[in-house]
Amino acid sequence: MKRAAQLVSLAALAGTIVPPALYFTGNLALDAAKWWMLVAAVAWFAATPAWMDR
Amino acid sequence: MADDTTARRAEPVDEFEREPVPERARLGFSSFVGQYAGEHTAGTELMIGPLFIASGVSAIDVVGGLFAGNLLAVLSWMFLTAPIAVRARLTLYFQLEKICGRTLVTAYNLANGVMFCFLAGAMVTVNATAAGLWFDIAMPGLNDVYPDSAGWVVTVLVMGALMTVVAAYGYRVVARIANIAAPWMVLVFVAYGIIGARQLGIDSVGEFWPKAQEFIWTGGEPLAGRAKFTFWHVMFFAWFCNMAMHIGMADLSVFRYARKSWYAAGTAAGMYLGHFIAWLSASILYAHQLHVTPDNTAVLPGPLAYNAAGIAGVLCVIVAGWTTANPTIYRAGLAFQAISPSSSRYRVTLLTGAVATVAGLFPAIAMKLLDFVALYGLVLMPMGAVVFVDFWLAGRFGFRSRYAEASGVSINWAAALAWVLTLAGCLAVVNMGGLQIYFVGLPGWFVAAFLYIVLSRLVQRKEVRS
């Protein structure tokens, strides 16, 4: 369970920084990048409390 | 920042308040890296970055000044603060009590608490710019001093009340959220910069520097009501925006937990993530706003973040503001409670939060954050010089260290006068001499050290003779 939560957190961090990088290189629209960042934020705050700082 | 920025560390201060930190409680290097990285990526960074642009700084000056200033800040923590911290292993307050006496420490706590209130007020302002987005309220402008719309007043009061109640009753929950949010927040701040750069038409890394000079940090005239910034302004601001913490010695309370003094190198994580990348990112967002709407000079973190990163961006502003305002209000409450120990901590924190909320109504504090942060450091800095001299140089100059503890006095007048005279002198130079506030901290520290040596020899002349 802890391992799965850590993987989700890692994916959430990637989801926070990769979409802006893709927008920078012209491979993703800004609105799509914003939505991915929101999904990543939700995933981060849902998964991370399960393993961090407990 | 700001700093600021300061008090996610409030909880450890509750432990070993009147005794040296024992071996079993000491912490490793990574603890300090994480703490400083999270602490210095605060909502107020989104205020500070744009204010560099408003001051007409050039690209080479801002990048070079931030690099050098942050390096000097890290070295100050490493070579001034931490060596004393790991030898004495006491909080600043307990060490000051031994040097200055109980009454003088109470005055220091009062000054500290008041400055914390205003800092928390700026954080409430930042959060109100984010929360106000949902209700389309009229936001303050760059040079506004007073609140100018009912919507703004209501938003600040609601945000301030929420933050205050949580600081009083839910401190630990928000402190935990702060730790959890830190890695995500750092990446969102980086994302602001990447998206802002693309919005300005920069579409490759190679284009960044030439376009940064042309569109972002152009080095032109400052906006109305702002002083022109050079390399030196940026360097001294970056060095001294946490002056209270390093040369002011407030972080003795943090590094007393470090096994080795070099662990203070971990502050570089906070300086270069928060006070370099986050400030530059926030600058880029503001440059884009000025590029698209040149007449819109307002520095409003909420709209800036929303335009770049949508709802996730606004969420980051709220979380960053809340998680730093929470411990700032809490620590201000602790400082005030030390003056009246019998008062309920909850009541004191609620009162403190109310003062911070009222301060948050006035946009001038946030819009003049560069000056306020410099003033905050200046007020507390002289006591850092007193601690440094008392610890390292008292014997060499022939006076007794920890004089209040040894003599039982409640005010060590040498420390009191060194503090007040240095502060008065620095403020006089700023107000009458026309020197910018960022430049008086360094000479001020040496003046305070010199005054403390001379005055200690006078105050302790009987002991000195014997």
Side-chain angles (χ1 to χ4, degrees), chain A residues 13 16-17 20-21 23-24 26 30 34 37-38 41 44-45 48-49 52-54, chain B residues 176 179-181 184 187-188 190-191 194-195 198-199 202 306-310 312:
Chain A
L13 288 183
T16 303
I17 199 66
Y23 168 66
F24 183 80
L30 181 56
K34 288 177 180 177
M37 288 178 74
L38 179 59
W44 175 261
F45 284 102
T48 310
M52 187 190 275
D53 203 28
R54 291 182 72 87
Chain B
R176 183 157 182 253
N179 290 339
I180 289 167
W184 169 78
L187 286 187
V188 175
V190 175
I194 294 172
I195 293 171
R198 183 70 178 90
Q199 287 175 316
I202 301 169
Y306 183 74
N307 289 336

Side-chain angles (χ1 to χ4, degrees), chain B residues 179-221:
Chain B
N179 290 339
I180 289 167
W184 169 78
M185 282 194 302
V186 168
L187 286 187
V188 175
F189 272 87
V190 175
Y192 290 149
I194 294 172
I195 293 171
R198 183 70 178 90
Q199 287 175 316
L200 276 166
I202 301 169
D203 51 18
S204 72
V205 175
E207 272 186 20
F208 181 78
W209 189 247
K211 287 205 174 172
Q213 292 170 298
E214 191 179 349
F215 296 121
I216 304 173
W217 305 285
T218 58
E221 287 301 306

Side-chain angles (χ1 to χ4, degrees), chain B residues 87-451:
Chain B
R87 284 168 173 83
R89 300 210 176 270
L90 300 174
T91 66
L92 170 68
Y93 305 105
F94 193 41
Q95 208 153 331
L96 273 181
E97 193 178 315
K98 289 169 180 286
I99 298 168
C100 303
R102 182 81 188 146
T103 303
L104 189 51
V105 169
T106 301
Y108 178 87
N109 271 337
L110 184 64
N112 206 0
V114 168
M115 300 313 275
F116 272 137
C117 272
F118 285 110
L119 197 59
M123 292 165 186
V124 173
T125 302
V126 168
N127 269 27
T129 70
L133 267 176
W134 312 119
F135 307 105
D136 198 26
I137 62 163
M139 302 266 195
L142 180 63
N143 292 318
D144 283 354
V145 175
Y146 302 103
D148 60 356
S149 76
W152 173 254
V153 171
V154 171
T155 307
V156 170
L157 291 179
V158 170
M159 289 306 293
L162 284 171
M163 287 171 159
T164 300
V165 170
V166 170
Y169 296 102
Y171 174 82
R172 285 175 192 278
V173 175
V174 182
R176 183 157 182 253
I177 292 172
N179 290 339
I180 289 167
W184 169 78
M185 282 194 302
V186 168
L187 286 187
V188 175
F189 272 87
V190 175
Y192 290 149
I194 294 172
I195 293 171
R198 183 70 178 90
Q199 287 175 316
L200 276 166
I202 301 169
D203 51 18
S204 72
V205 175
E207 272 186 20
F208 181 78
W209 189 247
K211 287 205 174 172
Q213 292 170 298
E214 191 179 349
F215 296 121
I216 304 173
W217 305 285
T218 58
E221 287 301 306
L223 297 180
R226 303 281 141 176
K228 168 78 178 170
F229 266 30
T230 64
F231 169 87
W232 300 107
H233 290 79
V234 178
M235 189 195 84
F236 275 101
F237 178 77
W239 185 6
F240 287 147
C241 67
N242 288 117
M243 181 158 53
M245 307 303 153
H246 44 69
I247 68 171
M249 298 289 170
D251 279 357
L252 289 178
S253 305
V254 175
F255 287 112
R256 70 199 167 112
Y257 287 92
R259 290 198 186 98
K260 309 275 184 194
S261 69
W262 69 263
Y263 290 1
T267 57
M271 293 302 97
Y272 287 99
L273 286 174
H275 293 185
F276 192 82
I277 290 175
W279 286 355
L280 294 182
S281 288
S283 270
I284 293 169
L285 295 186
Y286 187 60
H288 175 247
Q289 175 183 300
L290 290 180
H291 187 65
V292 175
T293 50
D295 292 337
N296 181 10
T297 58
V299 178
L300 300 169
L304 284 171
Y306 183 74
N307 289 336
I311 297 169
V314 178
L315 185 64
C316 179
V317 174
I318 291 175
V319 171
W322 200 310
T323 53
T324 39
N326 177 59
T328 305
I329 292 170
Y330 177 85
R331 271 173 75 96
L334 283 181
F336 290 135
Q337 198 199 14
I339 298 164
S340 172
S342 59
S343 311
S344 149
R345 187 179 68 74
Y346 296 103
R347 257 185 235 158
V348 171
T349 306
L350 289 174
L351 190 63
T352 305
V355 174
T357 303
V358 171
L361 287 171
F362 296 88
I365 296 171
M367 300 299 170
K368 295 272 187 188
L369 196 60
L370 298 184
D371 295 306
F372 173 73
V373 166
L375 176 67
Y376 162 67
L378 197 62
V379 168
L380 304 180
M381 166 275 291
M383 282 305 198
V386 166
V387 171
F388 182 87
V389 168
D390 199 82
F391 191 85
W392 294 113
L393 304 176
R396 189 171 297 178
F397 284 97
F399 63 90
R400 176 177 285 185
S401 66
R402 297 184 173 180
Y403 179 66
E405 182 185 47
S407 64
V409 296
S410 66
I411 296 182
N412 177 350
W413 284 104
L417 288 171
W419 184 24
V420 172
L421 292 176
T422 302
L423 189 57
C426 287
L427 292 177
V429 168
V430 170
N431 290 319
M432 290 187 279
L435 194 65
Q436 295 266 320
I437 193 167
Y438 319 106
F439 300 128
V440 295
L442 184 62
W445 193 89
F446 285 101
V447 168
F450 175 75
L451 283 173

